[in-house]
Amino acid sequence: MQYRKLGNSNLELSVITFGAWAAGGWMWGGTERTEAVKAIRSSYDVGVTSIDTAPIYGQGLSEEIVGEAIRDLPRDTIQLLTKFGLRWDLSRGSLHMKSKNTQGESIDIYKYASKESIIKECEDSLKRLGTDYIDLYQIHWPDKTTPIQETMEAVSLLIEQGKVVYAGVCNYNVDLLEEASHYINLVSNQVPYSMVKRDIEHDTLPYCIQHNLSILAYSPLERGLLTGKMKPGYQFASDDHRASLHFFTDANLTRIDAFLEKIAPLASEKQCTLGQLVLKWTIEQPGITIALAGARNEKQAQENAASVNIDLTSTEIGFITKQLNELKLVK
C-alpha cells in the first residue's frame, strides 16, 4: 500500500481508502453487517488504514459498522474520516432529498450545518465509531442556510477540544473553498471523480493543486459501472439509487462496455481486473491524492487494495485516457 499526506497536514491516508457508504446499506439495496465488518478488517490487513464514512449512510449504521470493525485495532494505526451536515432527524436548513431509511420508511434529509447541529453530530459520531477523536471531519454538502463562518468556527472549536484533528470539505466549488479558507485550515476536498465524471478538471482540481488542498476522489468506479460487471439489461433492487442514474441506462452500459473492451487487453497483460485498472488510472491522475473504494466483502476489499501495486507507464496511462476521451455517453 502507498500512503499520501493530506494538504499541509501531518495526516497520511492510504491511497486506496475504504469508502463505507455501501456498508450502511442505504440507497444500495441493503447490507450484510457481518460481511461489511469482514471487508473493513480485510482491507486493514492489506494496508488500507483509512476509512471514510458518514452519519447519513444507513442513518448511523455505517459508522456503527466501522466502529465494530476497528474495535480491537490500535487506534493510532487507523485514520477515521467522517462527515456532518446532513440531518434526517431534524427539519432544519434546506431540503436535500426525499428518501427511505433502511427499514423502508420515508425520510426527509436536510442540509444543515449550524454550530449547535455540528456539535451534536460530532458527539453522536464519536459514540457510534467508538473513539474519542476523528482524524478528518468534513461537511458533507454545502449548506446555504448557515454562514460558512459559523460552520467552520464550530469545527475549529472541535479541533481545539481535541475531538477533531483536521478539517475537510466535500462537494465544494472554488468559491466555497476560498470563503471557507478564511476561517479554518482546510486540508482536503472530497468530490466525485471517475473516468466518466471529470468535471473537476476544469476549475476545482487546478485550484486545489495551486492551494495545496488534497482531492479525495469518491465513486472512482462510478458506483460499480466501471468494473465491467454490469451489462445492458442489468436489474437493480427497488431501493438501489443507481437505477435512476443516466450512467446505467442500456445505451450507456453498451458504450461503457465497448470502452472497457478496448482496455481489457491491458488489464489482462497486467494480470488485474478492470476495476483494479480503473482505480490505478484514477490515483495516477494529477492532483488526485486518494481514491475511495467501497467493498461488500473480503474479496472486493483485497482486490481494491491490490490495485496500488499495478505498474502503469505514462504511455499506458495515455492509452487509457485516449480511449476514454473517445467515449460519448448519453445524458
Side-chain angles (χ1 to χ4, degrees), residues 57-249:
Y57 300 158
Q59 295 76 60
L61 180 58
S62 175
E63 287 187 327
E64 290 176 3
I65 287 172
V66 171
E68 179 179 343
I70 68 168
R71 186 175 300 148
D72 301 323
L73 300 176
R75 179 63 180 89
D76 61 356
T77 66
I78 300 163
Q79 302 82 48
L80 291 178
L81 293 58
T82 194
K83 309 177 187 78
F84 64 89
L86 288 185
R87 296 290 297 269
W88 68 93
D89 54 343
L90 182 71
S91 301
R92 298 285 298 274
S94 62
L95 182 66
H96 178 49
M97 64 186 295
K98 290 182 174 292
S99 185
K100 292 184 182 296
N101 62 19
T102 50
Q103 288 76 47
E105 301 164 337
S106 296
I107 54 173
D108 292 338
I109 300 169
Y110 288 83
K111 298 176 184 175
Y112 188 53
S114 72
K115 178 180 178 180
E116 181 182 6
S117 183
I118 294 169
I119 300 301
K120 171 182 167 40
E121 284 205 70
C122 183
E123 293 298 330
D124 290 345
S125 289
L126 290 171
K127 290 176 184 176
R128 287 190 288 257
L129 291 166
T131 186
D132 56 3
Y133 70 95
I134 295 162
D135 295 279
L136 182 68
Y137 205 37
Q138 310 157 96
I139 183 169
H140 207 149
W141 284 92
D143 168 27
K144 64 183 180 182
T145 69
T146 303
I148 286 180
Q149 180 174 0
E150 177 182 341
T151 297
M152 297 306 157
E153 287 180 351
V155 179
S156 294
L157 176 61
L158 292 170
I159 292 174
E160 291 174 12
Q161 294 174 343
K163 297 175 181 178
V164 168
V165 184
Y166 291 106
V169 296
C170 304
N171 304 299
Y172 262 38
N173 61 25
V174 169
D175 290 342
L176 292 173
L177 287 169
E178 286 185 331
E179 183 174 355
S181 295
H182 290 310
Y183 307 112
I184 201 167
N185 173 42
L186 294 179
V187 300
S188 62
N189 187 16
Q190 184 177 147
V191 288
Y193 182 77
S194 73
M195 285 182 165
V196 294
K197 189 182 289 182
R198 297 163 62 189
D199 300 354
I200 65 166
E201 292 178 359
H202 301 301
D203 300 307
T204 305
L205 186 57
Y207 176 89
C208 288
I209 291 173
Q210 180 183 354
H211 293 84
N212 194 23
L213 284 169
S214 286
I215 290 285
L216 282 55
Y218 73 79
S219 298
L221 294 172
E222 204 52 62
R223 300 167 170 84
L225 177 70
L226 295 168
T227 63
K229 298 175 182 177
M230 295 180 181
K231 306 295 182 182
Y234 188 92
Q235 296 296 311
F236 293 98
S238 60
D239 57 345
D240 193 316
H241 73 288
R242 293 174 292 183
S244 63
L245 300 178
H246 77 275
F247 291 116
F248 297 93
T249 62

Side-chain angles (χ1 to χ4, degrees), residues 231-289:
K231 306 295 182 182
Y234 188 92
Q235 296 296 311
F236 293 98
S238 60
D239 57 345
D240 193 316
H241 73 288
R242 293 174 292 183
S244 63
L245 300 178
H246 77 275
F247 291 116
F248 297 93
T249 62
D250 280 356
N252 282 335
L253 285 174
T254 299
R255 287 167 169 80
I256 292 291
D257 198 42
F259 159 70
L260 293 175
E261 285 184 3
K262 292 179 181 178
I263 66 172
L266 181 58
S268 296
E269 179 186 333
K270 301 295 180 179
Q271 298 183 318
C272 68
T273 67
L274 283 168
Q276 288 174 318
L277 187 63
V278 170
L279 286 174
K280 181 63 174 182
W281 178 90
T282 303
I283 60 177
E284 292 302 321
Q285 297 308 296
I288 303 299
T289 306

Side-chain angles (χ1 to χ4, degrees), residues 35-47:
E35 289 301 309
V37 169
K38 287 180 179 178
I40 295 170
R41 290 296 294 259
S42 182
S43 287
Y44 176 84
D45 290 341
V46 291

